[in-house]
Amino acid sequence: SMAPNQTHPSFQARALDETRRCMMSVVPDLRLMSGKVVPGDFSGIIVVREARKKVASSLGIPWQQIRLVSSGAAGLLQDSDPFEVPADDPNSEVITVIILPDPVEAKLEAKIARLAGVANFDQLSCAEELDLSDKGLASLPLRLGSFPLLRLSLGANRLKSLPPALLRLVNLTRLDLRANGLVALSPGVGGLAALESLKLSENRLTLLPEELGRLAVLRELRLEGNQLAALPDSMGGLVVLTTLDASHNKLTRLPPSFGELAALESLDLSGNRLATLPDAFGRLRALRDFVASGNPLFALPDTFGDLASLQRLSLNSCYLPRLPSTFGSLTNLRTLELNRSHVEELPSSVGGLIALRDLEANGNRLSDLPVGFGALASLRRCELKANHFKAIPQCVGALVDLEELTLNENGLEVLPGFLAAFAKLRRLDLNGNALVELPAAIAAGLSSLRSLDVRGTAVRTLPEPLHNHARLGLLSVLPSRL
């Protein structure tokens, strides 16, 4: 209602019972405004249309949604009617402000209801989960912000920024905004304090707000496929974060607080522009899976050996001629990938990788292996393709439990006799070497062999022991001339 006077012009917003729903759909806080006098200067206003615009401006909504109704005989006031300010008298005529539903909002609500498979939008008011992925949405209805949603999927839509309604969903625990074309992330995201999972991958984000660090219960953050040059300094505030994927961005550094992510277990930084990692990286003691392939990394910090929980490490396509001497302290490491990373030598401490089962070091510059390599008793798969080996290092002879050995495209001329002890070897790849024969004594010892590749060698005949091999029918790769 408006009850202003000429000396102190103001109006009062009051949500009438019969119009409360439509009012709340446009101004969610109108209930809080009920009975409150809001200043509004109506002096100089001549016709009703101008008064409608003044009221709308005060409420921050389109003026077309405002209607003025007189409690007297006049009823609904027309735009051209004279606007007469009621006297400041309890018994004077009161003009009621009615807020009509926004037709655009009403249409959007109907669309959301249809996509969600319900008869009307109000049926979603008690929903805890809503999947609106890949629906072509460019905005959300304001009233959605008052719903008690816990999980919301909005992936593969057309949202360029976070809709205001979304920032009001303070109970959300999971939010999926993948592949929307988002160019900015509102600082208001820091107010979604209940978030445990936030997916922002495959958008166009160039920076993240510092308020992101306020998400104290966030456990999963996916940022892959954006254009981020840096992560916010507040990242250290994500104290329970266990999964972070920031791959395929433009990161050149990690924030100083990165080492404070004490709960981090899975980290993917592949496809960025990182040349180094901070010393604080070694403080990520819970880290189990680390991928940093496709970065111009030229060194790892000495603290890297402090990653006591690390089980999988992928550093393909980097520039790492040498690894730190502390590398052998990674006693829980099970899988190591160092393909095409310009590795010239492995550290003497490599024998400390007592849990290592799978090693890929293809396409490097290795010509020898440290003596400690023979201590890798758990190793089952070893790939050393396209290196500079002229002979298989003697230390390999201790790895009698190997099941797969790949030595393609090296400079091998002969095979060492110790291979005859590899009774568990199932696959042996030797193609592209300078071999001229497979010694019969070696072939006799390879009792579990199923796959042998000697293409691109000078081997002309198959050794007699392989002719009578119990598993000969399972030899899958042979030169066609044999």
Side-chain angles (χ1 to χ4, degrees):
S1 298
M2 296 190 300
N5 58 39
Q6 297 290 349
T7 58
H8 183 67
S10 63
F11 72 91
Q12 187 176 43
R14 181 167 57 89
L16 303 178
D17 289 341
E18 64 271 20
T19 58
R20 181 179 298 274
R21 190 189 68 81
C22 66
M23 289 181 180
M24 291 298 293
S25 71
V26 180
V27 186
D29 288 334
L30 191 59
R31 183 181 290 110
L32 300 178
M33 292 174 57
S34 181
K36 178 182 179 182
V37 174
V38 182
D41 186 0
F42 292 89
S43 59
I45 292 180
I46 299 175
V47 295
V48 168
R49 178 169 180 165
E50 293 177 7
R52 289 173 64 195
K53 291 183 176 180
K54 175 61 69 173
V55 173
S57 176
S58 298
L59 290 176
I61 61 176
W63 69 273
Q64 291 88 345
Q65 293 175 235
I66 298 298
R67 293 290 184 272
L68 303 184
V69 180
S70 171
S71 60
L76 180 66
L77 300 177
Q78 302 301 313
D79 282 352
S80 58
D81 288 345
F83 180 71
E84 298 178 357
V85 179
D88 190 12
D89 183 337
N91 298 317
S92 66
E93 181 182 46
V94 175
I95 297 178
T96 298
V97 177
I98 295 180
I99 306 173
L100 301 179
D102 182 346
V104 175
E105 284 283 301
K107 184 176 180 180
L108 185 55
E109 287 185 2
K111 179 179 179 179
I112 296 296
R114 184 176 70 255
L115 294 174
V118 296
N120 62 73
F121 188 70
D122 285 329
Q123 287 182 264
L124 299 174
S125 62
C126 295
E128 292 186 352
E129 183 170 0
L130 186 58
D131 188 350
L132 296 172
S133 301
D134 197 16
K135 305 299 184 184
L137 297 173
S139 61
L140 296 175
L142 288 171
R143 204 152 57 98
L144 186 70
S146 63
F147 291 177
L149 285 173
L150 300 180
R151 298 172 294 278
L152 177 60
S153 297
L154 291 168
N157 281 292
R158 295 186 291 112
L159 302 172
K160 303 304 178 186
S161 60
L162 298 189
L166 195 154
L167 298 176
R168 299 174 61 87
L169 295 170
V170 295
N171 295 317
L172 273 184
T173 61
R174 303 181 66 87
L175 176 58
D176 185 352
L177 289 165
R178 293 172 295 124
N180 266 282
L182 289 171
V183 295
L185 192 65
S186 168
V189 72
L192 302 179
L195 270 186
E196 298 177 6
S197 173
L198 177 58
K199 298 179 180 179
L200 296 167
S201 53
E202 300 174 39
N203 283 290
R204 300 174 185 173
L205 299 171
T206 58
L207 56 85
L208 298 173
E210 290 294 330
E211 287 78 2
L212 189 71
R214 293 165 50 191
L215 302 179
V217 298
L218 193 67
R219 295 182 177 275
E220 178 186 31
L221 178 58
R222 299 197 174 274
L223 303 168
E224 66 268 27
N226 281 283
Q227 300 173 29
L228 299 170
L231 298 176
D233 291 336
S234 63
M235 282 288 290
L238 305 179
V239 293
V240 299
L241 190 70
T242 59
T243 301
L244 172 59
D245 189 342
S247 61
H248 303 288
N249 279 280
K250 299 179 180 180
L251 299 177
T252 58
R253 66 175 183 86
L254 297 179
S257 65
F258 202 81
E260 297 173 21
L261 300 177
L264 196 61
E265 297 179 0
S266 177
L267 173 62
D268 192 342
L269 296 174
S270 59
N272 279 286
R273 301 175 182 179
L274 297 167
T276 59
L277 297 176
D279 287 340
F281 197 87
R283 294 164 57 189
L284 304 178
R285 305 295 173 81
L287 193 62
R288 302 175 62 182
D289 191 326
F290 178 40
V291 182
S293 299
N295 280 281
L297 279 173
F298 63 83
L300 299 177
D302 288 338
T303 58
F304 201 83
D306 295 336
L307 303 176
S309 300
L310 197 62
Q311 296 184 14
R312 176 176 176 254
L313 175 60
S314 180
L315 295 171
N316 299 321
S317 301
C318 296
Y319 189 85
L320 292 167
R322 292 170 181 79
L323 300 174
S325 60
T326 57
F327 200 79
S329 299
L330 303 176
T331 54
N332 285 305
L333 192 65
R334 296 172 60 87
T335 301
L336 174 59
E337 298 175 5
L338 291 169
N339 301 310
R340 303 172 303 281
S341 286
H342 303 271
V343 180
E344 297 177 359
E345 63 180 15
L346 296 178
S348 59
S349 64
V350 70
L353 305 180
I354 56 176
L356 191 66
R357 292 184 60 88
D358 298 287
L359 170 63
E360 295 182 15
N362 302 311
N364 287 294
R365 301 172 181 176
L366 295 170
S367 59
D368 202 359
L369 296 172
V371 174
F373 193 86
L376 301 178
S378 297
L379 196 63
R380 297 294 180 267
R381 184 170 66 92
C382 180
E383 295 190 8
L384 297 170
K385 173 183 176 181
N387 277 281
H388 297 168
F389 293 107
K390 299 300 181 184
I392 301 178
Q394 192 67 28
C395 61
V396 175
L399 306 178
V400 294
D401 289 328
L402 268 182
E403 297 176 0
E404 298 184 22
L405 178 59
T406 300
L407 290 163
N408 303 354
E409 302 172 29
N410 280 282
L412 302 179
E413 297 180 356
V414 296
L415 296 179
F418 62 66
L419 287 181
F422 283 34
K424 297 180 181 180
L425 197 67
R426 295 185 292 108
R427 176 177 177 177
L428 178 59
D429 289 351
L430 298 167
N431 78 58
N433 283 288
L435 299 171
V436 295
E437 67 170 346
L438 293 176
I442 293 177
L446 302 179
S447 56
S448 298
L449 195 65
R450 298 187 181 197
S451 174
L452 172 65
D453 187 349
V454 290
R455 294 171 300 172
T457 70
V459 175
R460 294 291 184 269
T461 59
L462 201 63
E464 186 65 26
L466 291 183
H467 285 206
N468 301 319
H469 202 296
R471 301 180 182 272
L472 183 61
L474 299 177
L475 292 175
S476 60
V477 183
L478 292 167
S480 58
R481 60 181 175 273
L482 292 183

